């Protein structure tokens, strides 16, 4: 359009062609892709310091939109440092802190049915390795005089049926000193109790009765209500090993021995992280394989489970059709006794409401849910390689608080990308508007192509990139998550780009007109170039916040931005005062008056934006 307008006014066609091409370059924020990519990459580096490794770059930005975090309990919300504190066997409670009678069968059966390892050190101390639940059993047994290594030698394991998430129990077969064999089983109460036909009471084995089951369940509920994780233990003596060793042949007709209750304390930082989640409009949800009562107790302690919330088990989940789950998913804060395949349904239910879901997982079977979620988060310590490959982010400390910190960083990165977009487009609108008005009214050529390209090179690169280093605003985790369906160009964004670009364009045009009047086209172009460049560099300071005054932010708040402004200013000044550069770019010297006019006009964007902030029309409600 400008090319055609110039021809209609009789201007040289080649000059107008060069102007049109230069203006096209000026209008397109070609640095935006580079800036946004580098901003995300810098965010990835920062997240490493927060113990989060990002595997997919776009997930850094998606984090800032997260509305739901579905988290495992053990190790993520808790410390994963199990300690056996209570037990129940033979109708009696056992306090392992004040033990008077050794519950030998309970300890021995549970100890033999573990895969944990015990290493005795020369200084008399010991180290354990393996699943935290099993290392807790090894530790408490050692304290009672039962050495895991010696017990394994005395009662060697000959067969086993490994634990799996569906059966929620494991079984081993050990050879006794008499030459017979004992099946030892441990697992969830419901799963173990369902395979028991007898019970060990006061040293005697007898058929299990309904009142025994009621007593066991009451004791289990009491422990679970105290936020203890409860394991059930059972055994069966056999003369010979079954021909086919599997769950069906081994885990049946068992003798119920008792319960072990162990505490896994919540991470102290998780309570604050959950509060921060709720303040930020993010719904934390607990998903665990533990008993429902235990899960509810721990979730209540850390603030996930509140009055009016509901908890649901995996078996109950299976009885609910998808439509009902989708409709009521917001009611549930705790999912207990959940198998990995249930996680996929939970993610789909939340996403059906348009939520952005982060899902944690560590096992092979968690991979589908991690893929299904908007943000798959795997555990770096206990996570399998399959889970890590399926995830977007790996937590090197397996800590829920790290997820919340990553969400905060994601919001900061998204904010800074928007700042860069606003800066680049408002500057480009100013350049286009300056030349468009001058062309339409045949006021001359306010900028030569080389001056346009130099301004773009100087102002579109370093300052925009330095904006990515802006620290987070104080309210970043008190705002609700942005609507994932909302585009970048909100009403507020369009308004800001328009009036800020118009301000830059009009003051540059004013500078050109003053210079043209006082010294012809060369001085007019010099003043327009100076005002256009310096006003953009001053304007970048307006973008620290769309609400608060820029004067509330010290110059050292973002040292990278200050450095970028100084370097860019030096490059602009070189074109204005260095003789060799002035000759190449076609600029001329300015006297003191014209320098003062240039400086005054360059400061106008700060005054205009400050006024718009004071009038509270620099943003719109649809952005927050």
């Amino acid at each position: 359009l400008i090319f055609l307008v110039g021809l209609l006014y009789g201007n040289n066609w080649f000059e107008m062609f060069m102007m049109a091409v230069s203006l096209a370059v000026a209008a397109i924020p070609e640095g935006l892709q580079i800036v946004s990519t580098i901003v995300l990459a810098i965010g990835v580096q920062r997240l490493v310091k927060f113990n989060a490794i990002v595997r997919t770059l776009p997930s850094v930005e998606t984090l800032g939109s997260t509305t739901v975090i579905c988290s495992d309990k053990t190790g993520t919300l808790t410390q994963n440092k199990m300690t056996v504190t209570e037990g129940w066997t033979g109708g009696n409670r056992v306090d392992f802190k004040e033990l008077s009678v050794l519950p030998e069968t309970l300890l021995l059966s549970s100890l033999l049915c573990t895969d944990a390892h015990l290493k005795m050190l020369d200084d008399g101390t010991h180290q354990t390795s393996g699943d935290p639940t099993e290392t807790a059993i090894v530790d408490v047994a050692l304290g009672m005089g039962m050495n895991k290594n010696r017990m394994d030698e005395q009662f060697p394991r000959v067969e086993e049926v490994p634990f799996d998430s569906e059966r929620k129990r494991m079984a081993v077969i050990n050879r006794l000193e008499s030459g017979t064999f004992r099946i030892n089983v441990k697992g969830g109460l419901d799963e173990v109790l369902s395979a028991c036909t007898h019970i060990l009471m006061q040293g005697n084995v007898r058929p299990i009765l309904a009142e025994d089951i009621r007593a066991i369940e009451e004791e289990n509920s009491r422990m679970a209500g105290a936020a203890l994780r409860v394991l059930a233990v059972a055994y069966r003596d056999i003369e010979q090993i079954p021909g086919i060793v599997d769950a069906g042949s081994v885990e049946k007709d068992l003798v119920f021995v008792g319960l072990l209750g162990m505490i896994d304390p919540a991470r102290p930082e998780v309570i604050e992280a959950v509060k921060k989640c709720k303040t930020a409009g993010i719904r934390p949800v607990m998903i665990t394989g533990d008993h429902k009562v235990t899960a509810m107790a721990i979730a209540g302690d850390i603030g996930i489970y509140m009055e009016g919330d509901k908890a649901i088990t995996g078996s109950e989940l299976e009885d609910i059709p998808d439509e009902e789950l989708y409709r009521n998913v917001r009611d549930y804060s705790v999912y207990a006794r959940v198998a990995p395949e249930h996680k996929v349904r939970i993610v789909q239910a939340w996403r059906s409401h348009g939520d952005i879901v982060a899902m944690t997982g560590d096992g092979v079977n968690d991979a589908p849910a991690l893929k299904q979620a908007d943000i798959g988060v795997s555990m770096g310590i206990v996570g399998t390689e399959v889970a890590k490959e399926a995830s977007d982010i790996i937590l090197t400390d397996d800590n829920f608080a790290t997820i919340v910190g990553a969400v905060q960083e994601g919001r900061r990165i998204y904010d800074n990308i928007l700042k860069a977009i606003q800066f680049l487009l408002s500057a480009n609108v100013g350049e286009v508007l300056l030349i468009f008005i001058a062309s339409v009214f045949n006021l001359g050529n306010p900028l030569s192509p080389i001056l346009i390209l130099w301004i773009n090179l100087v102002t579109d690169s370093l300052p925009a990139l330095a904006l990515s280093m802006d620290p987070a605003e104080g309210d970043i985790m008190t705002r609700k998550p942005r609507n994932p369906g909302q585009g970048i160009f909100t009403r507020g964004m369009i308004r800001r780009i328009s009036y800020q670009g118009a301000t830059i364009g009009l003051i540059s045009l004013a500078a050109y007109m003053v210079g043209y009047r006082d010294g012809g086209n060369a001085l007019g172009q010099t003043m327009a170039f100076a005002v256009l460049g310096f006003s953009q560099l001053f304007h970048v300071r307006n973008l620290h916040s769309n609400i608060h005054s820029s004067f509330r932010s010290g110059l050292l708040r973002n040292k990278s931005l200050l450095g970028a402004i100084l370097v860019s200013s030096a490059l602009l000044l070189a074109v204005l005062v260095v003789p060799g550069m002035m000759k190449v770019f076609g600029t001329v010297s300015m006297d003191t008056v014209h320098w003062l006019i240039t400086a005054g006009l360059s400061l106008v964007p700060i005054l205009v934006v400050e006024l718009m902030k004071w009038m509270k029309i620099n943003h719109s409600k649809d952005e927050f």
Side-chain angles (χ1 to χ4, degrees):
L1 177 62
I2 289 174
F3 174 73
L4 293 175
V5 169
L7 292 183
L8 290 175
Y9 279 119
N11 295 326
N12 181 277
W13 74 270
F14 183 73
E15 289 183 3
M16 292 311 304
F17 173 75
M18 292 298 292
M19 178 62 66
V21 172
S22 301
L23 193 58
V25 173
I28 299 171
E30 64 277 351
L32 184 56
Q33 286 182 318
I34 297 172
V35 169
S36 59
T37 303
I38 293 177
V39 168
L40 291 174
I42 292 173
V44 168
Q45 290 183 320
R46 286 173 58 92
L47 283 170
V48 170
K49 299 177 183 178
F50 291 119
N51 300 313
I53 298 173
V54 178
R55 298 186 65 253
T56 56
L57 199 60
S59 61
V60 178
E61 183 270 325
T62 309
L63 273 169
S65 307
T66 302
T67 57
V68 179
I69 300 177
C70 297
S71 174
D72 283 329
K73 177 185 75 69
T74 304
T76 307
L77 295 169
T78 60
Q79 298 178 27
N80 206 17
K81 296 178 181 178
M82 295 284 189
T83 303
V84 178
T85 58
E86 295 185 34
W88 185 92
T89 185
N92 298 312
R93 291 178 183 172
V94 179
D95 186 344
F96 284 100
K97 296 179 233 174
E98 301 177 0
L99 195 62
S100 56
V101 179
L102 182 68
E104 185 173 353
T105 305
L106 177 65
L107 280 177
L108 182 59
S109 288
S110 59
L111 183 63
L112 294 174
C113 192
T114 63
D115 293 324
H117 298 283
L118 172 65
K119 181 180 180 180
M120 302 302 298
L121 304 178
D122 295 337
D123 59 1
T125 60
H126 70 280
Q127 291 179 347
T128 55
S129 59
D131 180 84
T133 301
E134 296 192 334
T135 58
I137 295 173
V138 172
D139 284 332
V140 74
L142 186 63
M144 299 296 109
M146 283 189 181
N147 185 297
K148 162 75 171 168
N149 299 332
R150 292 176 191 162
M151 294 300 103
D152 285 342
E153 291 175 3
Q154 188 175 351
F155 307 104
R157 183 185 299 187
V158 293
E159 289 287 355
E160 66 180 65
V161 183
F163 176 88
D164 70 51
S165 57
E166 292 185 6
R167 289 174 26 255
K168 291 185 172 59
R169 62 193 180 208
M170 70 172 289
V172 298
I173 302 177
N174 301 89
R175 181 183 289 111
L176 303 180
E177 293 175 322
S178 61
T180 58
F181 302 92
R182 173 167 290 184
I183 299 169
N184 294 294
V185 179
K186 76 176 189 338
L189 173 62
D190 297 336
E191 290 74 18
V192 171
L193 199 54
S194 65
C196 292
T197 57
H198 291 71
I199 187 171
L200 181 67
M201 293 292 287
Q202 308 299 329
N204 299 313
V205 176
R206 63 168 174 78
I208 195 166
L209 304 176
E211 52 263 34
D212 295 325
I213 294 175
R214 281 196 300 271
I216 293 168
E217 290 177 341
E218 287 176 3
E219 192 61 24
N220 175 74
S221 296
R222 185 193 66 80
M223 289 186 186
L228 297 180
R229 184 175 187 181
V230 184
L231 283 181
V233 182
Y235 78 93
R236 175 164 64 98
D237 290 332
I238 54 176
E239 295 294 327
Q240 59 184 13
I241 300 173
I244 299 176
V245 176
D246 59 15
S249 63
V250 173
E251 297 172 352
K252 64 178 184 178
D253 302 326
L254 301 176
V255 178
F256 186 85
V257 177
L259 304 171
L260 287 175
M262 52 191 72
I263 187 71
D264 182 14
R267 293 178 181 265
E269 65 272 19
V270 162
I271 297 175
E272 187 60 36
V274 169
K275 288 181 181 177
K276 188 179 288 186
C277 270
K278 294 189 172 183
T279 303
I282 302 169
R283 175 75 177 274
V285 176
M286 176 190 286
I287 299 178
T288 179
D290 280 358
H291 192 276
K292 184 176 179 179
V293 178
T294 304
M296 290 168 61
I298 295 177
D301 289 343
I302 62 179
I304 288 181
Y305 187 82
M306 307 295 288
E307 185 177 352
D309 291 347
K310 294 181 181 179
I312 189 171
T313 64
S315 58
E316 293 170 338
L317 200 61
E318 290 177 353
D319 295 333
I320 296 177
D322 287 341
E323 295 76 15
E324 183 179 342
L325 177 60
Y326 293 175
R327 188 169 58 251
N328 300 324
V329 68
R330 295 183 184 278
D331 296 338
Y332 303 112
S333 293
V334 174
Y335 297 85
R337 311 301 282 167
V338 170
E341 57 268 23
H342 295 143
K343 290 186 175 183
V344 175
R345 289 188 66 202
I346 296 170
V347 170
Q348 290 173 340
W350 278 106
R351 294 190 69 191
S352 70
H353 292 274
D355 285 287
I356 302 297
V357 182
M359 167 66 76
T360 69
D362 53 24
V364 173
N365 293 337
D366 290 329
L370 294 175
K371 281 289 187 184
Q372 186 73 31
D374 297 283
I375 300 288
V377 183
S378 63
M379 304 297 111
I381 299 175
V382 300
T384 61
E385 290 304 314
V386 174
K388 292 175 184 177
E389 284 296 321
S391 65
D392 301 294
I393 294 174
I394 302 172
L395 303 184
T396 58
D397 59 356
D398 295 5
N399 192 340
F400 177 84
T402 300
I403 305 175
V404 180
V407 169
Q408 179 171 332
E409 180 64 13
R411 290 189 176 190
R412 187 192 71 86
I413 289 168
Y414 184 77
D415 281 358
N416 289 347
I417 289 176
L418 290 186
K419 291 176 185 178
I421 292 172
Q422 181 182 328
F423 171 67
L424 290 172
L425 292 184
S426 60
N428 290 1
V429 165
E431 295 171 22
V432 172
L433 192 62
L434 165 64
I435 298 174
F436 179 74
I437 294 175
S439 299
V440 168
F441 292 98
N442 199 26
L443 300 177
N445 185 2
L447 288 175
S448 65
I450 192 172
L451 291 177
I452 294 174
L453 297 177
W454 185 252
I455 283 180
N456 279 2
L457 178 66
V458 170
T459 62
D460 281 12
S461 52
L462 292 179
L465 190 57
L467 275 174
S468 68
M469 304 303 292
D470 247 17
E473 295 187 43
D475 66 342
I476 197 165
M477 289 302 281
T478 58
R479 305 194 308 239
K480 300 299 180 184
R482 68 181 180 87
N483 183 352
Q486 176 180 285
I488 289 174
F489 292 101
T490 61
R491 287 177 295 173
M493 174 68 94
I494 294 171
R495 183 188 304 131
R496 287 191 297 274
I497 291 173
S498 299
Y499 88 78
Q500 292 167 9
T503 301
I504 292 171
L506 291 175
I507 61 173
S508 300
L509 181 63
Y512 172 73
M513 297 299 293
V514 171
Y516 188 84
R517 181 198 64 193
D518 295 345
N521 193 63
L523 181 58
Q525 285 190 347
T526 302
M527 290 189 66
F529 168 77
V531 170
L532 186 61
F534 286 117
S535 66
Q536 290 180 19
L537 295 180
F538 288 135
H539 172 54
V540 75
R541 281 272 298 153
N542 288 323
L543 303 175
H544 289 308
S545 172
N546 289 325
I547 302 174
H548 304 299
S549 170
S550 300
F551 295 105
R552 291 176 54 178
S553 303
L555 288 174
L556 299 180
R557 181 172 184 262
N558 185 343
K559 295 180 181 178
S560 299
L561 183 60
L562 178 60
I565 292 172
L566 293 176
V567 171
S568 296
S569 298
L571 291 172
L572 286 174
L573 283 171
V575 175
L576 294 169
V577 298
V578 177
M581 295 284 285
M582 293 171 66
K583 184 176 181 181
V584 171
F585 285 86
T587 57
V588 296
S589 297
M590 291 188 290
D591 58 25
T592 303
V593 173
H594 290 109
W595 270 113
L596 290 174
I597 293 172
T598 297
L601 289 173
S602 298
L603 292 171
V604 169
I606 290 182
L607 301 177
V608 172
V609 175
E610 285 295 319
L611 179 63
M612 297 294 277
K613 290 179 181 179
W614 180 74
M615 295 172 65
K616 298 183 178 180
I617 56 176
N618 196 53
H619 66 277
S620 58
K621 292 182 179 179
D622 63 348
E623 296 175 283
F624 302 99

